Amino acid sequence: MKIKSLFIAAALSACVFANAQQTILRKQRPNQTLLMTDNRIFAEKQTLTLQDLIPGGKNYFRFVPQSIRQLQWCGDSYMYVRNDSLILANPAKDSENVAFTLAQLNDTLQKYGLPETNGLPAFSVPDKRKSEVLFNSNNYSVLYDLSTHKALAKYALEKDGENWEYDKAAGNYAYTKENNVFILTKNGEIQQVTNESDKGIVSGTAVHQHEFGIEKGLFWSPGGTALAFYRMDETMVTDYPIVNVNERVATLQPLKYPMAGMKSHEVTVGVYNLKDKSTVWLQTGLPKEKYLTNIAWSPDGKFIYIAELNRGQDTCKLVRYSAETGLKDRELFTEINTKYVEPQTPIVFLPNDPAKFIWQSLRDGYNHLYLYNTEGQLITQLTKGQWVVQEFLGFDEKGKNLFYTSTGENNPLEIYAWKSDIKTGKKVRLNTKTGVHQVALNATATYLIDQTSSPTIPRDIDLVSVKDGKAVKSLLSAENPYQDYQIPDIKVGTIKAADGKTDLYYRLVTPPGMIASEKHPVIIYVYGGPHAQMITGGWLNGVGGWDLYMASRGYVMFTLDNRGSANRGFDFESVIHRQLGETEMADQMKGVEYLQSLPFVDTERIGVHGWSYGGFMTTNLMLTHPDVFKVGVAGGPVIDWKRYEIMYGERYMDHPAENPEGYDKSNLLNKAKNLKGRLLLIHGSVDPVVVWQHSLLFLNKCIEEGVQPDYFVYPSHPHNVIGKDRPHLYEKITRYFEEYL
């Protein structure tokens, strides 16, 4: 749930008519618009449909800014796919050649007794220092050397295997099957690492509900001789009933879902030695209910570092364990915050000095990099300022400089890449263009692949020299995919928060050719929660396709990143602690005040829509300010935070026994009686994130209180409605606002 932005007026609609009074008339054909000047038809332009603008739509691919397929570093070259060929390009020599074609790849596959493939597969580069690619084809995985055109290894993948983790050092795979861990060696041997028969004990997968940056559960040692893995005991966690309605008779598929205040799962870490096929368990001790996060191996493979967080999430300890004995070796340091500590990234060792590592922390109010030694002593704070480090990218070959991306030092909506001297702290920005940058650093830290977007740049891709930060070659400059279409106007600006001093960024999307003297209904699109930023300095300021669609139909679309959202520092985001919904709503109502000051906004027709945390906000705004909001659509809404999962819920609300007043004030069941306007709730019937119970209980409370919400269910959909059904979702939402707003 994260992002960033800056608001600029984007006059992308028919500027030739800018000085003429324009009236928009819709014809019977819904995807065409007439522009009228002095009562005469002056021009006709195509407008965009939901199938064009919503992911999963039939034409959506046509309106995503052009990119370069599979662009990534491989050895000293960057590679990409063009038509049926894999291309290698050497930036130092400014040359490129065909690594192989689809026909050549199939010849190689046949040579090694493997089935042919109908198209070039997805390639990964396990070691950026080598010209080797890894790809899957017809249930096989192949390691292919681009320099010799030989398959170095082939692996027959088990069809029901999951969570495949390749080890570039020894060339083995770790994977999971059902609830156990297995290893597929380079010579084809399968080793079973765990043998859990109880389905309530799961090994090798991500734990702690994917919080704390945890995305996987298998961790190879640097030399590939050992595998660390998570073991999660969920037997003590209550089963939550999920019903599969697709069977002849509906079946129960229970989910382990620890709710705030209830018993949580217990996690341990095992270390499997491939040579003697034995496992040791790290002695992480008591209490068992704690979070073992951000696993990192020492460069010599002798130790494992874990950021351990107590269940209260206010104390984090970096602890080192022996990978050979499992015993605790040392507690290096402790971070404490009266609200919460949230480790997100493992430590990273300096390449030329394994006795030093980098730790990321919000301890000074912004996420920054700190240099420690392996005795746990802080050497220096490497980055500092009122901006947020986004991603640590790596080091140069000598370990003299480090590289990272961060929010803009003067604008939190932008993202830039930096090179910083570890000793002196002197830093150089590696991007010249204003906007949001996504970068990839090559193995020798001499070049960057730099993808830029801005309010007016759909996507530029440049090759950048790390030496001076200058672009040495343009790889792509994507055209505006909307250039032939009728597009609304987009404006970004700031208003003051409810505290009267904090600047909040907003985005205002208005109908193309809008007449300021005419009144328009307004829809506020809201998220409002942590780890998310809706307004960015990227393409069209991060505006969504539905906003463009609704603005083209005559609505004013508004989004505000209230306090509690991401990338503005710890104080800005953590202000919501123990009182979810209070500060966020106060700031959103400042946005409403701004809208009410605009002459073209119909203050009697204000709607609101959001999903997940935004569904909670939508419902809360409708119930807390029933005389302001006429229509709302809440998707997957949290209704009662006691029924949300422990890791996220207790971080922001504490244990229910510690904060009964906060839980009570944020419980929307207590406000159901206030409903006046039209409120549509939408939920996926197998939602594992915000379980279906939330909206069902709300409906039950509305019946009890005699108020009338509307409701729609997406059977067999989880938390988000994605794929080909997503345009259906937005047609449903659109119709609701069209009918009632």
Side-chain angles (χ1 to χ4, degrees):
M1 309 174 181
K2 302 182 182 180
I3 310 179
K4 307 188 181 182
S5 313
L6 158 66
F7 279 43
I8 303 173
L12 299 178
S13 62
C15 58
V16 67
F17 310 122
N19 297 321
Q21 186 181 29
Q22 298 178 356
T23 304
I24 297 178
L25 300 177
R26 288 190 178 80
K27 300 175 66 177
Q28 293 302 313
R29 286 176 290 173
N31 65 335
Q32 288 187 332
T33 298
L34 288 181
L35 295 181
M36 302 285 291
T37 301
D38 299 326
N39 298 320
R40 293 180 297 108
I41 296 178
F42 200 89
E44 184 174 306
K45 255 195 171 183
Q46 290 282 92
T47 56
L48 294 156
T49 70
L50 289 174
Q51 292 292 337
D52 300 327
L53 292 167
I54 302 300
K58 296 176 182 176
N59 308 314
Y60 179 72
F61 69 95
R62 292 172 48 200
F63 299 95
V64 176
Q66 181 187 0
S67 190
I68 300 176
R69 292 170 56 198
Q70 300 201 46
L71 178 64
Q72 57 190 304
W73 290 107
C74 181
D76 290 328
S77 300
Y78 59 90
M79 72 178 197
Y80 64 95
V81 170
R82 184 173 64 206
N83 300 323
D84 68 345
S85 300
L86 181 68
I87 308 299
L88 274 180
N90 189 314
K93 300 177 181 178
D94 193 23
S95 63
E96 67 178 42
N97 59 78
V98 176
F100 56 71
T101 64
L102 176 60
Q104 291 171 327
L105 177 61
N106 278 326
D107 287 343
T108 301
L109 291 174
Q110 281 189 324
K111 179 181 178 181
Y112 288 94
L114 300 177
E116 291 187 1
T117 178
N118 293 326
L120 287 181
F123 299 100
S124 64
V125 182
D127 189 340
K128 286 195 298 183
R129 298 168 300 177
K130 299 178 180 179
S131 58
E132 299 171 356
V133 294
L134 193 68
F135 62 88
N136 291 353
S137 177
N138 296 302
N139 294 318
Y140 282 89
S141 181
V142 179
L143 182 66
Y144 187 92
D145 191 326
L146 297 176
S147 60
T148 62
H149 298 283
K150 292 181 179 179
L152 302 178
K154 63 177 182 178
Y155 307 83
L157 305 179
E158 290 200 66
K159 291 183 180 181
D160 51 355
E162 297 179 301
N163 302 302
W164 294 88
E165 191 73 20
Y166 181 75
D167 166 42
K168 66 182 180 181
N172 300 320
Y173 265 114
Y175 64 101
T176 64
K177 188 169 64 172
E178 295 182 340
N179 59 331
N180 282 300
V181 176
F182 296 81
I183 290 174
L184 173 61
T185 67
K186 194 173 184 178
N187 60 16
E189 176 193 1
I190 294 178
Q191 297 181 14
Q192 183 164 351
V193 176
T194 64
N195 190 21
E196 304 289 354
S197 57
D198 191 327
K199 299 302 181 184
I201 300 176
V202 182
S203 296
T205 66
V207 298
H208 305 321
Q209 298 291 104
H210 292 257
E211 295 291 333
F212 317 108
I214 299 172
E215 295 296 337
K216 65 178 186 177
L218 300 168
F219 309 87
W220 283 107
S221 67
T225 58
L227 176 74
F229 60 92
Y230 279 126
R231 178 186 186 270
M232 177 168 58
D233 184 349
E234 299 182 293
T235 56
M236 67 290 295
V237 178
T238 303
D239 283 340
Y240 188 88
I242 297 289
V243 178
N244 176 8
V245 300
N246 294 315
E247 301 293 333
R248 173 67 177 85
V249 175
T251 58
L252 198 62
Q253 296 178 343
L255 166 75
K256 294 292 187 179
Y257 190 86
M259 292 184 179
M262 298 178 69
K263 189 76 177 74
S264 182
H265 56 238
E266 297 172 359
V267 171
T268 51
V269 176
V271 182
Y272 177 79
N273 186 294
L274 273 71
K275 185 176 181 180
D276 59 22
K277 301 181 180 180
S278 64
T279 299
V280 300
W281 298 94
L282 303 190
Q283 303 301 302
T284 52
L286 299 175
K288 291 185 177 180
E289 281 194 341
K290 58 183 173 182
Y291 305 118
L292 306 181
T293 78
N294 297 288
I295 290 175
W297 281 89
S298 63
D300 59 9
K302 293 182 178 180
F303 297 100
I304 292 175
Y305 292 75
I306 300 178
E308 296 187 6
L309 196 65
N310 64 329
R311 176 164 171 170
Q313 300 188 50
D314 58 4
T315 304
C316 177
K317 297 179 179 180
L318 184 65
V319 185
R320 181 169 66 222
Y321 293 91
S322 168
E324 297 173 355
T325 66
L327 297 176
K328 180 187 291 187
D329 180 72
R330 189 185 192 100
E331 285 188 11
L332 281 82
F333 57 80
T334 301
E335 284 196 11
I336 298 175
N337 190 294
T338 55
K339 290 184 176 179
Y340 55 84
V341 184
E342 190 182 2
Q344 287 282 320
T345 54
I347 64 172
V348 180
F349 288 88
L350 271 60
N352 60 342
D353 190 346
K356 295 176 183 175
F357 61 84
I358 290 175
W359 168 256
Q360 293 191 40
S361 173
L362 283 152
R363 66 178 61 162
D364 77 345
Y366 295 85
N367 191 51
H368 282 298
L369 307 178
Y370 296 80
L371 183 63
Y372 274 88
N373 64 26
T374 49
E375 298 299 308
Q377 298 169 325
L378 175 63
I379 299 172
T380 187
Q381 181 173 348
L382 295 169
T383 62
K384 189 176 181 64
Q386 294 185 5
W387 41 271
V388 178
V389 170
Q390 294 282 299
E391 181 184 6
F392 176 76
L393 300 173
F395 304 92
D396 58 16
E397 285 190 301
K398 295 181 179 179
K400 178 183 177 183
N401 295 289
L402 58 82
F403 300 84
Y404 62 90
T405 59
S406 74
T407 55
E409 296 190 347
N410 299 310
N411 189 328
L413 309 184
E414 298 165 355
I415 298 177
Y416 296 101
W418 298 84
K419 175 177 70 174
S420 179
D421 188 296
I422 295 175
K423 287 186 177 180
T424 67
K426 182 181 178 181
K427 61 182 185 176
V428 176
R429 200 176 94 178
L430 299 177
N431 319 105
T432 57
K433 297 177 181 177
T434 300
V436 172
H437 294 264
Q438 293 180 310
V439 302
L441 184 69
N442 70 345
T444 54
T446 50
Y447 291 96
L448 286 175
I449 295 172
D450 180 13
Q451 297 197 43
T452 309
S453 68
S454 77
T456 57
I457 298 174
R459 180 179 286 116
D460 282 355
I461 304 180
D462 298 304
L463 190 64
V464 173
S465 171
V466 167
K467 183 178 180 180
D468 54 14
K470 294 182 179 179
V472 297
K473 186 176 183 180
S474 173
L475 304 181
L476 173 72
S477 186
E479 292 184 352
N480 176 3
Y482 302 126
Q483 61 187 356
D484 296 325
Y485 291 80
Q486 191 74 5
I487 292 296
D489 293 330
I490 303 169
K491 174 190 175 185
V492 167
T494 62
I495 62 172
K496 292 298 180 184
D499 64 3
K501 58 183 180 181
T502 306
D503 284 335
L504 304 176
Y505 288 89
Y506 71 81
R507 180 179 60 229
L508 189 71
V509 186
T510 54
M514 182 186 70
I515 299 173
S517 61
E518 294 184 354
K519 298 291 186 180
H520 295 262
V522 61
I523 300 173
I524 298 171
Y525 178 79
V526 62
Y527 182 78
H531 288 288
Q533 185 183 30
M534 299 293 100
I535 299 132
T536 77
W539 174 229
L540 299 182
N541 295 113
V543 73
W546 187 67
D547 285 37
L548 296 177
Y549 180 72
M550 295 302 283
S552 294
R553 295 175 74 88
Y555 294 84
V556 171
M557 305 298 292
F558 181 80
T559 297
L560 176 77
D561 278 328
N562 52 250
R563 285 174 296 162
S565 54
N567 295 325
R568 298 286 302 278
F570 183 77
D571 288 345
F572 186 94
E573 188 167 2
S574 67
V575 69
I576 64 176
H577 186 241
R578 292 174 62 92
Q579 52 174 9
L580 294 185
E582 295 297 308
T583 300
E584 305 96 296
M585 279 199 301
D587 286 352
Q588 288 294 329
M589 293 310 294
K590 287 296 179 181
V592 170
E593 289 180 17
Y594 168 71
L595 289 170
Q596 290 170 334
S597 73
L598 301 175
F600 50 83
V601 167
D602 186 342
T603 59
E604 299 300 315
R605 291 189 293 163
I606 299 178
V608 58
H609 166 54
W611 203 275
S612 192
Y613 201 101
F616 162 70
M617 288 290 293
T618 294
T619 310
N620 211 354
L621 286 164
M622 288 288 295
L623 302 178
T624 307
H625 302 279
D627 295 322
V628 173
F629 296 96
K630 184 178 181 182
V631 181
V633 178
V638 177
I639 298 296
D640 178 3
W641 286 101
K642 290 196 303 294
R643 291 180 167 89
Y644 197 67
E645 52 95 348
I646 286 172
M647 297 78 190
Y648 186 99
E650 291 186 5
R651 178 189 311 140
Y652 299 114
M653 289 292 284
D654 286 341
H655 192 286
E658 300 169 334
N659 185 23
E661 181 181 352
Y663 276 92
D664 189 60
K665 288 183 69 175
S666 65
N667 187 346
L668 302 187
L669 298 177
N670 299 329
K671 299 181 179 183
K673 60 182 178 294
N674 299 336
L675 181 62
K676 288 185 179 180
R678 302 298 305 226
L679 174 62
L680 171 64
L681 278 75
I682 303 176
H683 220 118
S685 68
V686 295
D687 190 337
V689 179
V690 182
V691 291
W692 196 11
Q693 184 180 10
H694 282 265
S695 57
L696 293 177
L697 286 173
F698 184 77
L699 292 180
N700 198 49
K701 189 65 175 179
C702 287
I703 295 168
E704 180 184 321
E705 298 290 354
V707 296
Q708 296 283 343
D710 295 311
Y711 197 64
F712 193 84
V713 174
Y714 277 90
S716 303
H717 270 282
H719 188 51
N720 292 301
V721 178
I722 58 175
K724 64 182 179 60
D725 292 347
R726 194 163 181 83
H728 182 280
L729 165 68
Y730 274 96
E731 178 68 26
K732 169 65 63 177
I733 296 169
T734 298
R735 289 186 181 192
Y736 198 77
F737 282 112
E738 290 276 66
E739 184 170 358
Y740 296 113
L741 194 66

